[in-house]
């Protein structure tokens, strides 16, 4: 018995030292951490088995609670029935809604099963086309999960009508043509965002603790920049070290040591290149076309990176909390989806990188707007803002005066308490999209 107790104490000491120490864990410590983490793995497996047994497994990852409010004024979006879509509802559309096309991205009930899809809405708010966003069963050597275990999270529409997207839980970045046919699938664990470079020859996306530049033509990886490279290139800026533990080393006075990173130390969730047409608005700050606006969720950090030198040109911590989707704006500011994770509401804010002053564009308190994770937004030319509150399964457009221009809610059919998640609603000008044809020939269904 004494031996068992001593072994347990030793095991606990090894795990504590590995977690709190400032040195890289050795093989013994790594093994202890793996064993210590086993109960969580077992719990996850048992949870999956229970979901299999009660029938909830197939769409559990795509569910989210429905708001407790009156939806009696909502109706199915026009065109839903023709595409077998159930549960996608729209409220009253006002004249203040910005005229143009919209692409609605999310998980939808289609023909009796859940699918990730992009729905093309006409300027009259009717579904004109549907692109189902799936993956091959295997991409490279990586087997793909079923559609109901993935979620569309990153989408870029291109000038020729094709588009590039990625999926949470997926194993690829893909390009489809305007008819929804796969052009290529580049293997890898990508997520969160896909943003086009100015020359339209490449996109930037988020990998596992890295950002990746990928060729539009064939999906080839052009460049990968790991977060450790960015940390190493900016030794005078310690904003990246916030989620790193450094031991006091009592009784010693160690130098040049590396502490252990906390879990998910950065959680990069956006990387957006500065378009040349907006570069003059930021020139006084030393920014140049192609610089990358990035978001690190774990440390409440938004920063601008020179992708050539890896030098951080600007950064701000604490203006937002667990934020997503910072965007370059015409007036030389940043607009940001401020999740305010674990608090009572979310908001869309504008941040001036010169003065660090922030302005609330969309106050979630009056709208019951809160998305604990995820979320997208778009500031339109007239000042309207489209907000996608992913974890509420809703999206809405609101004017600068606070008038609701339209609202979409994504019900899970047959369940009065649950929605399916939405990823993004993207506005496009009236002349930007023709859902009936590609650049050279019409689509045939």
């Amino acid at each position: 018995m004494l031996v068992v107790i001593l072994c347990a104490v030793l095991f606990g000491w090894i795990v504590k030292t590995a977690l709190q120490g400032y040195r890289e864990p050795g093989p013994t410590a790594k093994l202890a951490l793996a064993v210590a983490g086993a109960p969580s793995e077992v719990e996850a497996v048992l949870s999956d088995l229970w979901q299999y047994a009660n029938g909830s497994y197939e769409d559990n990852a795509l569910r989210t609670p429905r708001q407790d409010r009156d939806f009696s004024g909502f109706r199915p979006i026009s065109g839903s029935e023709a595409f077998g879509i159930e549960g996608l509802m729209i409220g009253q559309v006002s004249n203040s809604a910005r005229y143009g096309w919209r692409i609605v991205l999310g998980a939808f009930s289609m023909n009796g099963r859940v699918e990730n899809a992009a729905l093309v809405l006409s300027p009259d708010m009717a579904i004109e086309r549907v692109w189902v966003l799936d993956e091959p069963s295997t991409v490279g050597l990586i087997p793909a999960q079923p559609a109901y275990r993935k979620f569309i999270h990153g989408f870029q529409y291109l000038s020729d009508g094709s588009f590039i997207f990625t999926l949470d839980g997926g194993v690829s970045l893909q390009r489809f043509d305007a008819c929804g046919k796969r052009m290529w699938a580049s293997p890898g664990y990508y997520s969160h965002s896909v943003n086009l470079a100015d020359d339209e020859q490449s996109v930037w996306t988020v990998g596992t603790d890295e950002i990746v530049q990928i060729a539009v033509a064939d999906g080839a990886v052009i460049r990968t920049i790991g977060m450790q490279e960015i940390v190493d290139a900016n030794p005078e800026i310690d904003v990246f070290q916030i989620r790193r533990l450094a031991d006091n080393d009592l009784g010693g006075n160690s130098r040049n040591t590396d502490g252990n990173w906390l879990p998910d130390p950065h959680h990069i969730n956006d990387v957006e290149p500065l378009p040349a047409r907006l570069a003059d608005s930021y020139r006084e700050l030393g920014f140049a076309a192609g610089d990358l606006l990035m978001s690190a969720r774990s440390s409440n950090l938004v920063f601008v990176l020179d992708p050539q030198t890896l030098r951080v040109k600007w950064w701000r911590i604490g203006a937002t909390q667990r934020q997503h989707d910072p965007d370059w704006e015409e007036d030389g500011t940043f607009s940001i989806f401020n999740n305010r994770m674990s608090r009572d509401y979310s908001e869309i804010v504008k941040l001036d990188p010169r003065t660090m002053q922030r302005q609330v564009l969309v106050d979630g308190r009056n709208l019951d707007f809160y998305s604990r994770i995820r979320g997208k937004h778009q500031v339109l030319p007239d000042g309207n803002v489209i907000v996608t509150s992913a974890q509420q399964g809703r999206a809405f457009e609101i004017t600068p005066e606070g008038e609701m221009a339209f609202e979409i809610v994504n019900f899970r059919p047959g369940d009065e308490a649950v929605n399916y998640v939405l990823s993004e609603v993207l506005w496009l000008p009236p002349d930007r999209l023709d859902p009936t044809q590609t650049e050279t020939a019409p689509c045939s269904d």
Side-chain angles (χ1 to χ4, degrees), residues 30 32 34 52 83 91 98 109 244 260 302-303 323 335-336 362 386 388 392 401 422:
K30 288 180 178 178
Y52 269 122
F83 293 98
R98 179 75 178 183
S109 176
R244 201 169 198 169
N260 293 327
V302 177
F303 64 103
Q323 73 289 323
S335 61
I336 307 170
V362 180
I386 295 180
T388 306
Q392 289 181 306
E401 296 74 34
L422 284 176

Side-chain angles (χ1 to χ4, degrees), residues 10-55:
L10 178 61
F11 175 78
W13 178 83
I14 292 172
V15 170
K16 179 181 177 182
T17 301
L19 288 172
Q20 297 183 351
Y22 59 91
R23 296 183 178 86
E24 177 71 15
T28 302
K30 288 180 178 178
L31 177 61
L33 286 172
V35 173
S40 297
E41 296 296 326
V42 171
E43 181 182 7
V45 170
L46 291 176
S47 175
D48 283 350
L49 289 173
W50 172 246
Q51 290 169 24
Y52 269 122
N54 65 24

Side-chain angles (χ1 to χ4, degrees), residues 101 120 128-129 131 178-179 433-438 441-444:
W101 294 90
V120 179
E128 295 285 340
R129 191 166 190 85
W131 296 310
C179 298
L433 192 151
D434 183 347
T436 64
Q437 63 180 32
T438 67
C443 297
S444 59

Side-chain angles (χ1 to χ4, degrees), residues 15-273:
V15 170
K16 179 181 177 182
T17 301
L19 288 172
Q20 297 183 351
Y22 59 91
R23 296 183 178 86
E24 177 71 15
T28 302
K30 288 180 178 178
L31 177 61
L33 286 172
V35 173
S40 297
E41 296 296 326
V42 171
E43 181 182 7
V45 170
L46 291 176
S47 175
D48 283 350
L49 289 173
W50 172 246
Q51 290 169 24
Y52 269 122
N54 65 24
S56 67
Y57 181 82
E58 287 201 356
D59 65 357
N60 188 61
L62 302 173
R63 299 183 189 186
T64 193
R66 187 174 304 169
Q67 292 170 279
D68 183 13
R69 53 178 282 203
D70 181 9
F71 289 103
S72 59
F74 284 69
R75 58 174 174 79
I77 288 185
S78 179
S80 296
E81 187 173 349
F83 293 98
I85 297 170
E86 291 185 82
L88 187 63
M89 314 292 285
I90 190 167
Q92 183 65 38
V93 179
S94 80
N95 292 331
S96 59
R98 179 75 178 183
Y99 189 76
W101 294 90
R102 288 167 177 82
I103 299 177
V104 182
L105 299 148
F108 307 100
S109 176
M110 297 177 59
N111 299 309
R113 63 181 184 180
V114 65
E115 297 276 13
N116 284 284
L119 316 181
V120 179
L121 266 60
S122 72
D124 297 324
M125 297 291 188
I127 300 175
E128 295 285 340
R129 191 166 190 85
V130 173
W131 296 310
V132 175
L133 308 177
D134 57 1
E135 287 186 304
S137 58
T138 302
V139 183
L141 298 176
I142 312 174
Q145 295 193 84
Y148 53 77
R149 302 299 294 175
K150 294 177 284 195
F151 174 63
I152 173 65
H153 202 188
F155 180 94
Q156 176 67 62
Y157 186 76
L158 304 178
S159 58
D160 66 352
S162 66
F163 52 91
I164 299 174
F165 68 94
T166 188
L167 300 146
D168 280 0
V171 294
S172 66
L173 185 79
Q174 298 184 81
R175 183 182 180 189
F176 282 15
D177 68 17
C179 298
K181 298 176 182 176
R182 184 176 295 108
M183 301 173 70
W184 50 254
S186 182
Y189 297 104
Y190 304 114
S191 66
H192 285 96
S193 71
V194 181
N195 290 300
L196 189 64
D198 224 32
D199 60 5
E200 298 195 10
Q201 300 302 304
S202 66
V203 293
W204 285 93
T205 188
V206 178
T208 304
D209 213 30
E210 63 189 13
I211 56 174
V212 185
Q213 186 180 19
I214 292 181
V216 167
D218 58 7
V221 174
I222 298 172
R223 188 180 182 194
T224 297
I225 303 173
M227 279 305 298
Q228 190 59 53
E229 294 178 68
I230 298 174
V231 171
D232 293 342
N234 295 273
E236 74 287 356
I237 302 176
D238 280 332
V239 294
F240 299 110
Q241 304 284 354
I242 287 175
R243 291 184 57 80
R244 201 169 198 169
L245 288 175
D247 195 284
N248 288 332
D249 192 22
L250 296 177
N253 192 25
S254 304
R255 304 187 188 199
N256 301 316
T257 60
D258 290 325
N260 293 327
W261 290 107
L262 293 172
D264 197 13
H266 307 295
H267 197 113
I268 301 300
N269 58 28
D270 201 10
V271 50
E272 181 176 324

